[in-house]
Amino acid sequence: MKKTLHSVARRVTRVMMKSDLLWEAARRISKDGFFFRQRYPVIHKRARRACASFLDQLEVLDGPFVGMKYDQERSVGSSLWPKLLGTYESELRPCFQQISRGQRYRKIIDIGFAEGYYLIGFGRLFADSQLVGFDTEDEAQQQCRANARANGIDQGRLQLHGAFDSGLFETALEPNSLVIVDCEGTESEVVSGLSRDQAACADWLIETHDHLIDGTSSRIVAILGETHDLVEVTTDDDLQSKCRLLPSSIRESCDSYVQEALVSEGRVARQSWIFATRRAA
């Protein structure tokens, strides 16, 4: 009986949460997340309807990878809408600008490539680079290959592997590489096994997960700090700053709730990145 009443309460509350006025009142009453969980699907559907004409194109609208196409409306392990709208991990835009202004990379290596947002995105920017990826998910390989085809990237440029293998990685790593790392807490293991010369082969963009493995960032800084200039970037928790990056047509036609739903990346903890560029000899 109790379970049934709770189910009815959820359904009734979800209907009530369609009202912005009731939502404002509810979130002042309760801080335990119950009302938010009922509100989120409502706003999510509203956002999808409001921006169908943009999202259905399956093409990145802004940011460093503008024009990149997706084979289908799906991402692996992260939110798709911010990627299509160009706001995804916008904190890293200065790093991307520096990468795109720099030398031409011979290899782009992405450890934890998911559906290939970065691997294919940078592959479009550096048309002569070989693309190498590691990811444990079979779906990631399927989606990444499909997205490569959607963007006209020759499959001969693309080498995708399963779980990270240090031997394969060290074989792939060569002078003038760009290495992107997002492997949920084991990123320090990627760099800790390298010699000084191997680490110095590449520029690095590493998402760190100290909330999963304590001390990850400090270990990476200690290793790469010997040969690289380091910049540490932290997630911006203010969704409004990301909303300001949305196309003007969306900002003018959608209320603030919808805009926040579109740019939300669904992070459960504050994240940081280390951007490491080789020092001039």
Side-chain angles (χ1 to χ4, degrees), residues 87-105:
T87 64
Y88 184 71
E89 295 186 345
S90 57
E91 300 89 343
L92 296 173
R93 284 193 177 187
C95 303
F96 297 146
Q97 289 169 359
Q98 185 172 343
I99 289 170
S100 62
R101 287 196 306 265
Q103 54 191 306
R104 314 310 289 179
Y105 294 104

Side-chain angles (χ1 to χ4, degrees), residues 127-145:
D128 296 326
S129 299
Q130 290 296 306
L131 310 176
V132 181
F134 295 86
D135 201 291
T136 58
E137 299 289 337
D138 291 339
E139 182 187 3
Q141 293 206 29
Q142 296 167 7
Q143 291 299 317
C144 187
R145 291 192 184 280

Side-chain angles (χ1 to χ4, degrees), residues 5 34 63-65 80 88 96 105-106 108 139-140 157 178 188 191 200 205 211 214 218 224 234 237 249 254 266:
L5 289 174
F34 173 77
F65 305 135
L80 175 62
Y88 184 71
F96 297 146
Y105 294 104
R106 295 171 64 185
I108 311 290
E139 182 187 3
R157 292 177 60 198
L178 172 65
S188 64
V191 298
L205 180 61
H211 64 288
D214 190 44
S218 60
L224 295 182
T234 304
D237 294 331
S249 53
C254 297

Side-chain angles (χ1 to χ4, degrees), residues 3 35 59-60 63 78 116 154 211 238 245 249:
K3 190 174 182 180
F35 289 107
E59 182 173 317
V60 177
S78 56
D154 190 325
H211 64 288
D238 180 13
L245 298 174
S249 53

Side-chain angles (χ1 to χ4, degrees), residues 225-244:
E226 298 182 3
T227 51
H228 292 70
D229 293 321
L230 306 182
V231 174
E232 295 188 63
V233 181
T234 304
T235 47
D236 184 354
D237 294 331
D238 180 13
L239 289 181
Q240 284 303 309
S241 65
K242 289 183 178 288
C243 290
R244 286 191 286 272

